[in-house]
């Protein structure tokens, strides 16, 4: 039993509050109330995807995944890389939400698994392909 770490976006923060991601934003770690779990990845990604509010309380942080209908299917840790599998659809608010959504998923999965890199697949396809503007 422990709190889960979930990442949200500080829009326009330019890396001041956490890792700098696309469009001059920061990624900021938050923690949930303590949760009982065996594998931390599923509950952490589940907590992120279950949040259907754009604004994270009064923190000033934003959840760009709030309108997306994504479901966690599973994950596997191979060395220092966590791979997670999702199904569903992204519903994002513009081009800057692409790196934000990817970073929220990857960093939340890495924090839950103690991995140093993450790969995300949605409906069997790599997230970069799914979110490509091409």
């Amino acid at each position: 039993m422990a709190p889960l770490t979930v990442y949200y976006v500080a829009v326009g923060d330019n890396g001041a509050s956490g890792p700098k991601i696309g469009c001059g934003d920061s990624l900021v770690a938050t923690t949930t109330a303590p949760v009982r779990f065996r594998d931390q990845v599923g509950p952490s990604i589940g907590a992120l995807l279950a949040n259907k509010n754009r604004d994270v309380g009064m923190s000033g942080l934003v959840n760009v995944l709030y309108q997306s209908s994504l479901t966690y299917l599973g994950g596997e840790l191979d060395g220092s890389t966590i791979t997670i599998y999702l199904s569903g659809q992204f519903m994002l608010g513009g081009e800057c939400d692409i790196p934000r959504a990817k970073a929220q998923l990857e960093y939340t999965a890495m924090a839950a698994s103690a991995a140093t890199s993450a790969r995300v697949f949605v409906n069997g396809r790599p997230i970069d392909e799914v979110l490509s503007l091409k």
Side-chain angles (χ1 to χ4, degrees):
M1 185 147 172
L4 303 173
T5 300
V6 179
Y7 279 84
Y8 294 108
V9 180
V11 176
D13 188 56
N14 211 28
S17 301
K20 185 176 178 180
I21 57 171
C23 296
D25 304 320
S26 295
L27 210 55
V28 179
T30 66
T31 54
T32 67
V35 176
R36 215 177 274 288
F37 56 81
R38 285 204 179 100
D39 161 29
Q40 200 171 336
V41 178
S44 295
I45 296 295
L48 174 62
L49 298 177
N51 182 352
K52 297 302 178 187
N53 297 309
R54 179 185 179 277
D55 298 315
V56 181
M58 302 298 285
S59 66
L61 300 177
V62 172
N63 175 21
V64 300
L65 297 166
Y66 77 106
Q67 295 182 101
S68 298
S69 58
L70 296 167
T71 302
Y72 176 78
L73 300 176
E76 56 193 32
L77 185 62
D78 183 11
S80 61
T81 301
I82 181 69
T83 302
I84 62 168
Y85 301 94
L86 308 172
S87 65
Q89 302 295 319
F90 284 96
M91 178 69 70
L92 301 176
E95 194 173 331
C96 283
D97 277 359
I98 293 171
R100 294 170 182 158
K102 181 180 176 189
Q104 278 189 261
L105 289 164
E106 289 178 346
Y107 275 76
T108 298
M110 288 188 294
S113 62
T116 55
S117 65
R119 298 182 333 159
V120 179
F121 288 86
V122 182
N123 301 323
R125 296 168 50 212
I127 192 170
D128 288 334
E129 186 180 304
V130 173
L131 295 178
S132 171
L133 295 175
K134 295 177 185 168

